[in-house]
Amino acid sequence: MAFCGSCGTQVADGTAFCPKCGKAVAAAHGQSSAPASQGNAAPATAGLEENVAGTLAYSLGWITGIVFLLIDKRHSVRFHAAQSIVVFGLTSILYWIIISVFGLEIAIGRAGWGWSAGLLLYYGICIVMLVAWIFLMYQAYNRKMFRVPGAADIADSIAGKVQS
């Protein structure tokens, strides 16, 4: 058995391209080679396990989503990272809109019922997003690809499709 020199995936003898990353395999002529663990090159499976990386992609919302989308090439981790960006990024935008609209009422001196409704709306969204955050991290840790309705389709387009 040969190993991909790029990602370290075990590749069947005679295979010209790695099934995981698509790079040309140096040992495609049936020669067996050791996994790419020399120097700074490490196999893709080194470091965090897939479920831990997927969980951490949700840990700080869209910020860690961006980080894991850029540094991890595994599809499930990229999906969780992209879904984190979509869900928590849109929520951050919604928070700023609520603060802007209802904060303007205070600035112009009309801090009445509208401000109270805005505050209730803001805290209601905070509670829902806290529950969603915990739930999504739990699902990712248990290796489940929970798809948030609406956000998952956008996340698929950001993360890319699975390469066969």
Side-chain angles (χ1 to χ4, degrees), residues 16 25 37 42 54 73 88 98 105-106 121 130 140 144 150:
V25 178
S37 60
K73 302 303 177 203
F88 297 112
I98 290 171
E105 288 188 5
I106 289 180
L121 180 63
L130 176 65
K144 295 181 181 169

Short mmCIF file of all heavy atoms in Angstrom, two decimals, residues 16 25 37 42 54 73 88 98 105-106 121 130 140 144 150:
data_model
loop_
_atom_site.label_atom_id
_atom_site.label_comp_id
_atom_site.label_asym_id
_atom_site.label_seq_id
_atom_site.Cartn_x
_atom_site.Cartn_y
_atom_site.Cartn_z
N ALA A 16 -3.31 6.40 -9.31
CA ALA A 16 -2.53 7.55 -9.74
C ALA A 16 -2.83 8.80 -8.92
O ALA A 16 -1.97 9.66 -8.75
CB ALA A 16 -2.79 7.84 -11.22
N VAL A 25 -0.24 10.71 -6.77
CA VAL A 25 0.47 9.90 -5.79
C VAL A 25 1.84 9.56 -6.35
O VAL A 25 1.96 9.03 -7.47
CB VAL A 25 -0.32 8.61 -5.48
CG1 VAL A 25 0.43 7.74 -4.50
CG2 VAL A 25 -1.68 8.96 -4.93
N SER A 37 5.32 11.85 6.98
CA SER A 37 5.49 12.37 8.33
C SER A 37 6.90 12.90 8.52
O SER A 37 7.34 13.09 9.62
CB SER A 37 5.18 11.27 9.36
OG SER A 37 6.06 10.18 9.17
N ALA A 42 2.62 16.56 7.62
CA ALA A 42 1.94 15.61 8.48
C ALA A 42 0.65 15.18 7.81
O ALA A 42 0.07 15.94 7.05
CB ALA A 42 1.63 16.26 9.83
N GLY A 54 -14.93 19.84 14.42
CA GLY A 54 -16.28 20.30 14.09
C GLY A 54 -16.92 21.02 15.26
O GLY A 54 -17.60 22.04 15.09
N LYS A 73 -9.31 20.85 5.79
CA LYS A 73 -9.78 20.44 4.47
C LYS A 73 -10.77 19.28 4.52
O LYS A 73 -11.25 18.84 3.49
CB LYS A 73 -8.58 20.05 3.58
CG LYS A 73 -7.58 21.17 3.40
CD LYS A 73 -8.23 22.40 2.83
CE LYS A 73 -7.23 23.54 2.73
NZ LYS A 73 -7.86 24.84 2.71
N PHE A 88 -24.29 32.01 12.93
CA PHE A 88 -23.89 33.02 13.91
C PHE A 88 -23.52 34.36 13.25
O PHE A 88 -23.61 35.40 13.89
CB PHE A 88 -22.77 32.48 14.79
CG PHE A 88 -23.22 31.29 15.58
CD1 PHE A 88 -22.69 30.03 15.32
CD2 PHE A 88 -24.19 31.40 16.56
CE1 PHE A 88 -23.12 28.92 16.03
CE2 PHE A 88 -24.63 30.31 17.26
CZ PHE A 88 -24.10 29.05 17.01
N ILE A 98 -31.06 45.19 15.50
CA ILE A 98 -31.93 45.44 16.65
C ILE A 98 -31.36 46.56 17.51
O ILE A 98 -32.08 47.47 17.92
CB ILE A 98 -32.11 44.15 17.48
CG1 ILE A 98 -32.95 43.15 16.70
CG2 ILE A 98 -32.75 44.45 18.83
CD1 ILE A 98 -33.01 41.78 17.33
N GLU A 105 -34.14 54.94 19.19
CA GLU A 105 -35.25 55.48 19.97
C GLU A 105 -34.76 56.18 21.23
O GLU A 105 -35.29 57.21 21.63
CB GLU A 105 -36.24 54.37 20.32
CG GLU A 105 -37.04 53.90 19.14
CD GLU A 105 -38.15 52.95 19.55
OE1 GLU A 105 -38.35 52.73 20.76
OE2 GLU A 105 -38.81 52.44 18.65
N ILE A 106 -33.75 55.60 21.86
CA ILE A 106 -33.19 56.23 23.07
C ILE A 106 -32.48 57.52 22.68
O ILE A 106 -32.60 58.54 23.37
CB ILE A 106 -32.22 55.27 23.79
CG1 ILE A 106 -33.02 54.16 24.43
CG2 ILE A 106 -31.39 56.00 24.83
CD1 ILE A 106 -32.19 53.15 25.17
N LEU A 121 -36.90 41.31 22.46
CA LEU A 121 -36.54 40.63 21.22
C LEU A 121 -35.06 40.24 21.24
O LEU A 121 -34.69 39.11 20.90
CB LEU A 121 -36.84 41.53 20.02
CG LEU A 121 -36.53 40.97 18.64
CD1 LEU A 121 -37.38 39.75 18.36
CD2 LEU A 121 -36.77 42.04 17.59
N LEU A 130 -28.19 30.69 22.21
CA LEU A 130 -27.41 29.92 23.19
C LEU A 130 -27.79 28.45 23.13
O LEU A 130 -26.92 27.57 23.11
CB LEU A 130 -27.65 30.46 24.61
CG LEU A 130 -26.98 29.68 25.74
CD1 LEU A 130 -25.46 29.77 25.62
CD2 LEU A 130 -27.45 30.19 27.08
N ALA A 140 -22.16 18.07 16.58
CA ALA A 140 -20.87 17.94 15.90
C ALA A 140 -19.95 16.99 16.67
O ALA A 140 -19.26 16.18 16.07
CB ALA A 140 -20.21 19.31 15.75
N LYS A 144 -22.59 13.94 14.14
CA LYS A 144 -23.84 14.05 13.40
C LYS A 144 -23.82 15.34 12.60
O LYS A 144 -23.45 16.39 13.10
CB LYS A 144 -25.04 14.03 14.35
CG LYS A 144 -25.17 12.71 15.08
CD LYS A 144 -26.34 12.69 15.99
CE LYS A 144 -26.38 11.34 16.70
NZ LYS A 144 -27.34 11.34 17.79
N GLY A 150 -32.31 26.09 6.00
CA GLY A 150 -31.94 27.33 5.33
C GLY A 150 -30.44 27.60 5.37
O GLY A 150 -29.83 27.87 4.35
#
